[in-house]
Amino acid sequence: MTILLKNVAVVTVDNVTEAQDILITDGVITKIDANLTDSADTVLDCTGKTAFPAFFDMHTHMRDPGFTYKEDIESGTKAAMHGGFWGVAAMPNTNPVTDNVPVVEYIINKANKFGYAKVFPVAAITKGLEGKELTEIMELKAHGVVAISDDGKPVSDSNTMRQALRYADMAGMPVVCHSEDLSLVNGGVMNEGATADRLGLRGIPRAAEEAAIAREIILAKTYDVPVHITHISTKGSVDFIRFAKQQGVKVTCDTCPHYFSLTDEACEGYDTHAKMNPPLREAYDVAAMIEGLQDGTIDAIATDHAPHHFDEKIIEFDHALNGIIGLETSFAVGCTYLYKTGKLTLPKLAKLMADTPCRILNIAPAEIKVGATANITVCDLNETWVPTPENTVSKSKNSPYYGKELVGKVKIVITDGKLKLS
Amino acid sequence: MKFEKDLLGIQNLDADQIHYILKKAEDMKKIIFSDCKKATNLTGKSVMTLFFENSTRTRTSFELAAKYLGAIASNMPVSSSSVKKGETLIDTTRTLNAMGNDCFIIRHENAGAPHLVAQNVDATVINAGDGMNEHPTQALLDFFTMYEKMGTVEGKKIAIIGDIYHSRVARSDTYGLLKLGAEVVMAGPRTLLPNDLESLGVKMYTDVDKAIKDADVVMPLRLQLERQKNCFFPSGYEYSKYFGVNEERMKLAKEGALIMHPGPVNRGLELQSALYAPDKSVIDEQVTNGVAVRMAVLDTFINRA
């Protein structure tokens, strides 16, 4: 079974090579060169398009088991595939919580059964996400768990985080921190700022994120262990992480497309599609995110894909659940707000979306090179499109980008050597 | 050989003093299995156990040791004493000292408690375990057992496995074994390893197999299940799978390596149940040696003049 991609620009983490042909034989990339004359079972003309190593999302909520009315592994991996992802790391706030081997095996097997994308389970740090006792971290690692996190919730007790970081480091298990000081959140529902004041909504101070991040970093520094901080949203967080990295602290972090493209003004009109945790911030935070992505302070882009049902979002702002979907718009937002604006090069974007999300989790990243299994996402960097509930694959339709014109579309997806979308 | 008034820790003994006590214990051991367990080394001496923490073997071991040497042995039951009325440690021991007591054997949850008592009474004070600090007579009986079975500890590799961080036994053993020329390695989950002992020359591992490899002695420590609540380890299942001493792991040790344990043993947790048997480990012999060593310690310190 052969696939030939013709006349495509090839992006790697190092460079862009124009007008290449890629030959895939039985799932493996066998040739990359200009003007290949090989015949193939499937030939795809990619003139004007760009091939990326397939993306990996290190922060996704599959909602399966337990909340399958929002999303399940079938619809979620299908949405991931449409977004150009070959794999995702699934967060453990499922029901039952992903804190034991049977749930881990269920998740892995279900994803493999459908074959849209691979799911790598992230297990909880504490049993039941209760923040009290550690999960069997070594045992979970032995059964395919790629990281631990209590995401959805922070680990509030600092001693618990200290023990977790040290035990996990011993086990070679990355720790992904949702860093939030709940006492500072204090009932807030959006960023503490002018928009919140104008709307009459309680604000969440930046300190709620920054104080918590500082704690993780200090623990990582004290015990010389690695820590990954997910979904950072404030300038202060970027600055502190930059400082910590300069000090030699083994900290990595990711941010989400919405934090480098939207501000809290999107909440205008009490639009709950702009409600998530941490919240959208202000223009100077967005600028800081972009600077952080440019100078390497921020290691990865993750979606924090958080599907919620209509009845959980289209209600009073105070009561709406936090979260937006993001797998299907991640590339387009990156292309629109980072590449087309001249802020990032394509190799840099590839690194943030395809490479470092894998390396942080000790997963082999997709690579466009001879001998590698074909994991390729071909995009049209110039095609404009408008996300709508109707063209959304995910079961849930909670996106802040509906009705917004974005540029950059995923056109062809080949993962695990197989053509999945064309 | 000169000895101080008190035995507060192995840190206060040198190698010669340790050898002296072990030699004496050899003779004392003969009394334990004789027909008439009655020597006269401590006739007319008052020896009192004062245990603020629970104990089966240490307390009974000391009591019998004192009695076998003919002492007037008594136990001060802390839970029904005026300690419950708030009487301080110093006041309690000074009061008992004033009754003519010659020797206090103290176990206390606070490190340094025996040291405090020793400064305030003229009786001999023997530390039977103070918090996370030391348990000198346990270490001495461990050394005795090793010498008896191996002939020497010099150059031998001793692997201590488990909750080192909280263990007074691990500390006392380490101080002594290093003085006696042994190689000490430790292994356990990162959360249960101390930060400091490497500076003494002890190798620390989180991989138990590496510690047990070519070891002459393997000593698992009791895992306190309460530690699970404080996030030191996730579960007994994970602990025994990745850190437990079992037949499979023991294949990595030297042929005929000794399995020791200070007791009590959590069967199936830190030590595979089948290995806690007389033909597989020397744990019961340690108990016997404990009485002999404590007889030697009491005679050495009470009769030091």
Side-chain angles (χ1 to χ4, degrees):
Chain A
M1 166 63 186
T2 48
I3 305 171
L4 181 62
L5 302 173
K6 287 206 71 66
N7 202 22
V8 72
V10 174
V11 178
T12 66
V13 298
D14 298 307
N15 52 38
V16 184
T17 315
E18 299 289 341
Q20 297 287 288
D21 292 352
I22 304 175
L23 179 67
I24 300 161
T25 313
D26 295 328
V28 176
I29 299 174
T30 43
K31 283 187 190 171
I32 305 174
D33 210 341
N35 300 313
L36 291 178
T37 52
D38 304 64
S39 60
D41 302 309
T42 307
V43 179
L44 298 167
D45 182 5
C46 298
T47 307
K49 298 192 181 57
T50 308
F52 291 85
F55 312 131
F56 187 91
D57 188 22
M58 65 185 300
H59 188 145
T60 293
H61 294 272
M62 285 281 121
R63 306 297 190 206
D64 189 355
F67 301 105
T68 50
Y69 65 94
K70 301 179 201 241
E71 190 88 279
D72 58 41
I73 286 170
E74 183 187 359
S75 62
T77 53
K78 197 165 178 206
M81 186 267 283
H82 275 264
F85 294 90
W86 69 270
V88 303
M91 285 298 174
N93 55 342
T94 49
N95 185 22
V97 169
T98 309
D99 64 5
N100 61 82
V101 169
V103 173
V104 167
E105 295 193 329
Y106 162 84
I107 292 170
I108 294 172
N109 292 336
K110 189 167 180 179
N112 288 339
K113 182 172 97 173
F114 290 103
Y116 291 116
K118 278 197 158 46
V119 176
F120 295 82
V122 176
I125 297 173
T126 62
K127 291 174 187 153
L129 296 172
E130 287 178 9
K132 296 207 193 105
E133 287 185 10
L134 297 181
T135 52
E136 293 177 335
I137 294 167
M138 298 180 81
E139 189 66 356
L140 289 163
K141 176 139 200 294
H143 285 86
V145 168
V146 295
I148 51 172
S149 179
D150 269 8
D151 183 73
K153 304 164 76 168
V155 173
S156 295
D157 184 271
S158 299
N159 184 55
T160 303
M161 180 56 86
R162 172 176 69 126
Q163 303 286 56
L165 287 174
R166 299 168 75 204
Y167 194 94
D169 176 53
M170 165 186 74
M173 178 81 98
V175 180
V176 174
C177 293
H178 166 113
S179 300
E180 185 185 10
D181 183 327
L182 292 173
S183 61
L184 286 175
V185 171
N186 201 28
V189 296
M190 66 169 288
N191 179 53
E192 181 177 80
T195 309
D197 283 347
R198 199 170 58 248
L199 293 173
L201 293 171
R202 278 190 209 285
I204 301 169
R206 290 179 178 74
E209 174 175 308
E210 293 163 17
I213 283 179
R215 181 203 66 182
E216 329 292 21
I217 286 172
I218 287 168
L219 287 174
K221 180 173 204 268
T222 304
Y223 294 99
D224 193 28
V225 291
V227 70
H228 179 86
I229 301 176
T230 189
H231 56 47
I232 66 166
S233 72
T234 78
K235 177 178 188 310
S237 295
V238 178
D239 290 345
F240 199 71
I241 291 169
R242 185 180 288 119
F243 169 70
K245 283 186 171 187
Q246 282 161 5
Q247 300 278 303
V249 180
K250 297 175 190 158
V251 56
T252 53
C253 67
D254 67 70
T255 192
C256 307
H258 37 286
Y259 301 123
F260 59 73
S261 60
L262 302 172
T263 67
D264 59 2
E265 288 174 10
C267 298
E268 202 65 59
Y270 303 94
D271 186 355
T272 58
H273 285 138
K275 184 181 180 188
M276 79 289 291
N277 188 27
L280 297 172
R281 304 288 184 179
E282 293 171 76
Y284 70 84
D285 300 289
V286 174
M289 287 309 122
I290 295 174
E291 252 180 67
L293 289 164
Q294 287 173 316
D295 73 6
T297 300
I298 302 177
D299 303 272
I301 292 173
T303 67
D304 195 2
H305 177 88
H308 287 303
H309 191 271
F310 181 92
D311 296 332
E312 298 168 321
K313 288 299 270 189
I314 310 305
I315 55 179
E316 300 93 313
F317 198 96
D318 283 336
H319 296 309
L321 293 187
N322 281 311
I324 56 169
I325 54 172
L327 285 167
E328 298 166 68
T329 50
S330 182
F331 172 73
V333 174
C335 186
T336 307
Y337 290 88
L338 297 174
Y339 172 63
K340 288 294 184 183
T341 52
K343 303 288 185 188
L344 288 189
T345 62
L346 292 175
K348 196 72 216 280
L349 190 60
K351 186 148 196 253
L352 291 162
M353 288 191 66
D355 191 74
T356 48
C358 287
R359 295 201 189 276
I360 291 166
L361 300 179
N362 303 311
I363 296 170
E367 288 182 275
I368 304 183
K369 65 174 191 194
V370 173
T373 302
N375 284 301
I376 303 172
T377 296
V378 179
C379 305
D380 187 328
L381 301 179
N382 300 308
E383 183 175 333
T384 59
W385 63 290
V386 177
T388 64
E390 291 72 32
N391 64 26
T392 299
V393 169
S394 168
K395 258 191 209 180
S396 292
K397 320 293 181 191
N398 50 322
S399 171
Y401 298 104
Y402 289 151
K404 280 188 166 55
E405 187 178 88
L406 299 173
V407 57
K409 196 151 202 306
V410 173
K411 305 298 289 181
I412 297 167
V413 177
I414 299 169
T415 62
D416 199 28
K418 304 179 190 71
L419 182 63
K420 306 257 173 86
L421 182 77
S422 62
Chain B
M1 175 124 341
K2 201 165 183 317
F3 283 88
E4 301 195 346
K5 173 169 81 80
D6 317 287
L7 174 58
L8 298 174
I10 303 289
Q11 288 178 83
N12 312 98
L13 294 177
D14 60 41
D16 289 332
Q17 289 172 311
I18 294 174
H19 282 299
Y20 177 92
I21 293 171
L22 297 183
K23 187 96 205 3
K24 186 175 283 220
E26 253 182 76
D27 298 323
M28 296 298 189
K29 194 167 174 179
K30 299 179 185 127
I31 300 173
I32 298 173
F33 293 111
S34 67
D35 246 356
C36 182
K37 303 177 219 302
K38 197 129 188 179
T40 55
N41 308 52
L42 295 180
T43 304
K45 298 286 186 201
S46 167
V47 175
M48 192 178 295
T49 47
L50 190 55
F51 274 50
F52 291 79
E53 274 183 342
N54 290 340
S55 164
T56 301
R57 64 210 79 221
T58 307
R59 208 190 100 185
T60 316
S61 185
F62 265 114
E63 269 181 45
L64 287 178
K67 289 183 166 141
Y68 291 165
L69 293 178
I72 304 159
S74 59
N75 177 61
M76 221 288 285
V78 173
S79 53
S80 53
S81 73
S82 296
V83 171
K84 285 287 177 197
K85 299 181 199 170
E87 186 164 26
T88 67
L89 178 63
I90 295 176
D91 287 343
T92 301
T93 46
R94 274 227 294 263
T95 301
L96 297 168
N97 190 64
M99 296 180 192
N101 189 41
D102 296 292
C103 175
F104 291 99
I105 300 163
I106 299 181
R107 170 171 282 190
H108 201 282
E109 60 170 343
N110 297 132
H115 305 59
L116 186 61
V117 173
Q119 287 163 18
N120 284 281
V121 300
D122 45 43
T124 292
V125 173
I126 309 288
N127 181 4
D130 64 325
M132 285 168 22
N133 183 40
E134 286 227 45
H135 191 355
T137 57
Q138 176 68 44
L140 288 166
L141 75 87
D142 286 340
F143 308 150
F144 185 93
T145 309
M146 292 178 204
Y147 274 105
E148 203 184 50
K149 301 306 255 189
M150 301 190 295
T152 179
V153 304
E154 196 170 343
K156 298 290 185 185
K157 179 176 176 183
I158 320 291
I160 306 179
I161 316 286
D163 184 356
I164 315 288
Y165 181 68
H166 296 103
S167 174
R168 53 190 173 219
V169 171
R171 283 179 175 77
S172 291
D173 270 320
T174 300
Y175 300 138
L177 287 167
L178 292 175
K179 286 181 219 236
L180 298 171
E183 178 200 345
V184 179
V185 303
M186 293 175 170
R190 174 75 49 75
T191 42
L192 291 175
L193 292 178
N195 300 308
D196 60 321
L197 292 183
E198 261 159 326
S199 59
L200 294 176
V202 174
K203 266 215 165 65
M204 216 78 72
Y205 299 100
T206 51
D207 182 343
V208 172
D209 290 358
K210 285 211 177 88
I212 291 187
K213 188 151 176 25
D214 299 328
D216 296 281
V217 177
V218 176
M219 188 191 299
L221 298 174
R222 189 174 80 86
L223 181 72
Q224 280 178 269
L225 293 166
E226 312 85 83
R227 307 272 179 230
Q228 192 174 319
K229 302 258 179 321
N230 225 330
C231 297
F232 282 102
F233 68 94
S235 69
Y237 173 78
E238 174 142 314
Y239 184 88
S240 72
K241 181 170 177 181
Y242 294 95
F243 301 97
V245 173
N246 51 44
E247 271 161 346
E248 202 51 41
R249 291 211 158 92
M250 283 308 295
K251 288 184 188 155
L252 299 165
K254 278 231 184 70
E255 176 113 23
L258 301 178
I259 297 179
M260 297 175 63
H261 191 298
V265 176
N266 288 313
R267 280 184 177 278
L269 186 54
E270 68 265 7
L271 180 64
Q272 185 180 6
S273 196
L275 293 180
Y276 184 17
D279 56 331
K280 292 270 180 0
S281 52
V282 298
I283 299 170
D284 291 341
E285 291 178 63
Q286 284 173 271
V287 175
T288 309
N289 297 335
V291 182
V293 158
R294 286 168 179 132
M295 289 165 72
V297 162
L298 291 174
D299 184 36
T300 300
F301 283 86
I302 297 173
N303 292 328
R304 74 187 175 283

